[in-house]
Structure formats: structure tokens, C-alpha cells
Amino acid sequence: MHNDFITPFHLHYYNSGVWGDTYWLGHRVLKCPLDMILYQEILSQLKPDVIVECGTNEGGSTLFLASICDLLKHGRIISVDIQDRKPPQHDRITYLIGNSASEETFIRVRSSIAPEEKVLVILDSDHSKKHVYQEMKLYHQLVSVGSYLIVEDTIIGHPVAPQLLPGPMEAVYQFLGENDKFEIDPTKHKFHLTFNPNGYLLRVKE
């Protein structure tokens, strides 16, 4: 990625606050729309049976994922959050309340997924390095070969909100230094603006 224009572009977009004023079917989505297009492409290509989302928040992103699954006529979402914010309801969505980084919550998620199901995981809850790294250690086990472990908001500190460091990017680097089953997929940088640089991790080995 060419930082001569991408860094100012990221800073301008993030500092505008428009990412907090973005909606899917009337529900707020705290995502960059270009990442949402990438999600649509990934879901269309992989057609996962289960999408595990850590971090429901208001549920706009969850509803977006369910809408794409509706169009594909395939897939369901398990979304985990530490509190119930009355997110939108949908037949394809199951909400779980709990700390996504806890072993207990992970076991609840894993118990609802059949061994043969194709799984994609999205981590978008607490963005501290410690929390994200713990999530990665747990949930990477669920990701199918050829599918993704997506770590959201690696843009934190790189270049926005440096006061929040260490964050998701540092968790990614630590995890990849210890695990050779995943690789950063550079094709997911194709739109240049992403909230998840180096955060699209493709599982390449059992």
C-alpha cells in the first residue's frame, strides 16, 4: 500500500466521522463501505455455512451479513456481544451474550457449529491487543481452510487513534508470528481504503 496518499486518505475519512453515520436498512453500521463490498465478495465466493461475529454493537453489520446470506440463499450468523443492545432480528441471526474472549463463550459458539460446516470468523469487539489476541487464539480454531479470520479495525494506530495502541494490528502480528496456518491476503487491499489493513487472514493449512 502506498502511504504517500493512503495515510492522509485514511486520516481524512476517519476524522470526518462519516463512518459513524453509515446505515444498512436503517441500522447503523460502524464500517467502511468498501470493506462491506469486500465482505460481499468473500461471502459470494466462499458461501460459508456459518459466520461468527464477535462484537454485535447495534447489529447493523450483523443485519448486513444476514442480507447477503439471504441473497445467496445460504448461511447463518452467530453474533456475540457482552451486552444486549436490542439489535435487529432476523431468521438467519443468533445472538449470544457473553465476553467473546472467554473460554466459556467460545465453547457455547463452538457447540452450535457442526464439524463439517464451513466457517468464517469476524473479530470486531474490544480492540485492545490483549482482547483481540485472546479472541484470535480461540476462534481461529473454527475457521475452515480456504476461509478467513477477519480482524477488524487494524487501522487503529495505523494511522488513526494512536492513543489506543497497542491494538488489533499488534495482535495480528503476534498471532502470525506463532501460527503458520494463516496468511495476510493482500488482495483485500485492492480498494486502498480499508479499516482492516493486514486484517484479512486466509487460512491456508489444517
Side-chain angles (χ1 to χ4, degrees):
M1 296 173 72
H2 306 290
N3 288 329
D4 55 339
F5 80 93
I6 290 179
T7 293
F9 189 25
H10 274 98
L11 286 168
H12 178 76
Y13 185 85
Y14 179 85
N15 291 334
S16 75
V18 70
W19 54 272
D21 190 31
T22 301
Y23 295 83
W24 179 258
L25 301 179
H27 296 273
R28 195 158 70 123
V29 181
L30 302 179
K31 280 183 172 37
C32 171
L34 294 176
D35 286 314
M36 295 171 71
I37 292 294
L38 286 175
Y39 275 26
Q40 173 272 141
E41 291 183 354
I42 290 170
L43 297 188
S44 179
Q45 176 189 357
L46 295 181
K47 295 181 175 61
D49 301 304
V50 183
I51 302 164
V52 176
E53 176 190 53
C54 293
T56 308
N57 202 293
E58 297 176 23
S61 298
T62 323
L63 182 62
F64 168 76
L65 295 169
S67 299
I68 300 301
C69 289
D70 271 350
L71 291 171
L72 296 172
K73 296 180 172 57
H74 187 79
R76 60 189 175 91
I77 300 95
I78 302 171
S79 188
V80 182
D81 204 283
I82 201 164
Q83 58 181 307
D84 184 359
R85 307 186 203 206
K86 307 303 178 188
Q89 300 300 301
H90 191 285
D91 289 344
R92 294 186 184 272
I93 301 173
T94 299
Y95 294 108
L96 296 180
I97 304 301
N99 180 351
S100 57
S102 74
E103 184 80 25
E104 177 186 1
T105 300
F106 171 71
I107 290 171
R108 290 171 62 200
V109 173
R110 185 179 60 189
S111 67
S112 63
I113 299 172
E116 68 276 7
E117 289 188 298
K118 184 186 296 184
V119 181
L120 179 145
V121 173
I122 300 166
L123 305 181
D124 189 21
S125 58
D126 180 331
H127 294 312
S128 66
K129 176 188 175 184
K130 180 179 179 181
H131 185 93
V132 175
Y133 176 68
Q134 178 62 21
E135 286 180 327
M136 295 183 79
K137 287 203 301 180
L138 292 171
Y139 292 89
H140 85 272
Q141 303 171 65
L142 302 179
V143 179
S144 307
V145 174
S147 187
Y148 288 86
L149 173 64
I150 302 174
V151 181
E152 288 264 1
D153 295 317
T154 49
I155 194 175
I156 289 173
H158 309 280
V160 308
Q163 71 276 12
L164 298 179
L165 287 173
M169 184 82 80
E170 286 67 35
V172 167
Y173 291 156
Q174 181 176 350
F175 175 80
L176 291 178
E178 302 165 352
N179 191 310
D180 66 353
K181 297 178 180 179
F182 290 81
E183 296 178 356
I184 294 168
D185 184 352
T187 69
K188 302 308 179 234
H189 296 141
K190 67 181 182 178
F191 294 133
H192 304 295
L193 176 62
T194 174
F195 278 7
N196 314 321
N198 296 331
Y200 291 90
L201 306 183
L202 177 66
R203 182 158 191 170
V204 294
K205 296 181 183 178
E206 276 289 355

